[in-house]
Structures are given as C-alpha cells and as structure tokens.
Amino acid sequence: MTKSWSEMIPKPKKNRYRLLIYIALILIYVWAFAGIPYSGIKETAGQVSKSILAGLFSPDWGYVYLPDGEDLLRGLLDTLAISILGTFISTIICIPFAFWSAVNMSRGKVISGSGKILLSLIRTFPEVVMAILFIKAVGPGSFAGVLALGLHSVGMLGKLFADEVENIDNGPLEALMAVGASRLQILWFAVIPQVLPGFLSYTLYRFELNLRSATILGIIGAGGIGTPLIFALSTRNWDRVGIILLGIIVMITTIDLISGTLRKKLV
C-alpha cells in the first residue's frame, strides 16, 4: 500500500525547550517593568491630553505658508534638502570604502577586514550624537545636520555596497582578464554595470531613512522641521504641533511611495 504525500513529508520536531523560552521571556518582561519607577498619574494629565488631541485634530492651517517668516513649507523643504545632501555626500564617499571592504576586490582578508572594521566604527555613533558634535564644531543649523547624516550614512551604505560588490558574478571579470583588460577596464565594464542597480536601490532606501532622521535632528538644533516642532511643544502650541506633524506625515509618505516605486524598477 503506497503512502500519501502528507504521510511521506516528515513532520517538524517539537521544540522541547519552547516552554522554558516562553517562561524566560515572561520573567524578563516582568523584571523589566518592575524596574520602571511609577509615581502615579498627574492631576493635569487629562486636561493636557485633551489639549493635545484638540490641537492635532484642529491644526493651524495658517502656518502652512507665511510670506514674512518661517512656515511649514520652508521647514519641510529644509528637511528635504538636508536629507538629500547628506545622502549624496555619503554615497560618493562610501564607494571607495565599499570596494576596500569587499573581499573579492582586496588583495587579502586583512585589507578587507580593516575596511569592514572602519565602517563598523563609523556607524557605531547615532546621527544625534554626531549632530551634537558637529553643532559644537560648526554651530547650530542645517550644515551640522548635513554633516551628521552624511558621515553616519557612510558606515551604513558602505556595508551594503560592500555586500553588493561581493555578490557579483565573476564570469565577466574572468572574460576581460583573459583578453588582457586593465584593472580599470574590468572595473568599468564588468563590475560597475552589475553593482549599479543595487547601489541606486540602497541609496534610495537610505534616503528614506535620512529623511526621518532629519526631522529629529532639528530638535537638537541641526536644522529642519524639528526646530519649529520643539518650539511649538515647549510653548504648548498644540495647533502648531498638529500642522507640523501632519506635514511630516504627508512628506514622508509621499517620498516613501516615490522611492518604493523607483526601487522596484531598479531591482
């Protein structure tokens, strides 16, 4: 008697330690929440919450455009410019680091390993920490935000670019080497055509992340829409907070849709 397909397929083994893992996770959560100090809810919590919700659902539409001062559109454009410049700078700088870190492009694992270590050190520091350092060096403003995003993105993009270079097909490289092509010709005709779509896709993805980060950097004085947002929060101008958050949502959603469409066509 022949067995059916369902009987022939091996059943997955049950994990004997699943219950212990669940118990350990529960104990970790209990321990974590037990260490949170709780002093009770303030008496003004309800009133403040109502004010915040009222401001969010009734935004200050007059702040969208102000002819004689800073407004929502200028803040959003500033944030967009910071993210674009930061992404552009990091993309140009990280390309040599990517080829340095790629194993198949270096003369030995020691050389490629040193490049990977350097990229890891660069991306260790968050954008906020780098922005604070650059604010102390060049002063508050958009320039500090561009430098912070540009330097931090070198570490992230460099790693992704290096992985893309390591995954290329060696067939075109060997064919050009067989006919006596130079190293520059091999790079130009065999390597770059393979890695360029991946490089562009990773750059667009990093641009999406930088756009979100640029909105946060303004809170610490690195330019962008975050600066008027923190001012509105400090003065409890919830109508202004509502229109700023609405503008951020619209801008990021639009950029994500455009970037996602372009990345689907590239990959």
Side-chain angles (χ1 to χ4, degrees), residues 238-252:
W238 306 119
D239 297 343
R240 183 69 56 83
V241 172
I243 191 62
I244 292 175
L245 293 179
L246 183 60
I248 293 173
I249 292 172
V250 172
M251 180 181 66
I252 291 179

Side-chain angles (χ1 to χ4, degrees), residues 203-221:
T203 301
L204 290 173
Y205 178 68
R206 188 62 207 177
F207 169 64
E208 297 175 12
L209 298 179
N210 284 342
L211 185 62
R212 292 172 172 82
S213 300
T215 61
I216 300 173
L217 296 182
I219 296 177
I220 59 174

Side-chain angles (χ1 to χ4, degrees), residues 190-201:
V191 178
I192 293 180
Q194 294 189 65
V195 301
L196 187 59
F199 281 11
L200 294 176
S201 178

Side-chain angles (χ1 to χ4, degrees), residues 26-45:
I26 292 173
L27 292 176
I28 290 173
Y29 277 108
V30 171
W31 172 74
F33 282 103
I36 299 177
Y38 177 73
S39 58
I41 300 175
K42 295 183 178 180
E43 298 179 356
T44 59

Side-chain angles (χ1 to χ4, degrees), residues 121-149:
L121 292 175
I122 293 175
R123 65 175 180 269
T124 299
F125 301 96
E127 299 97 331
V128 176
V129 176
M130 289 187 176
I132 294 174
L133 295 176
F134 281 117
I135 287 174
K136 298 297 182 181
V138 301
S142 302
F143 186 49
V146 171
L147 294 177
L149 289 179

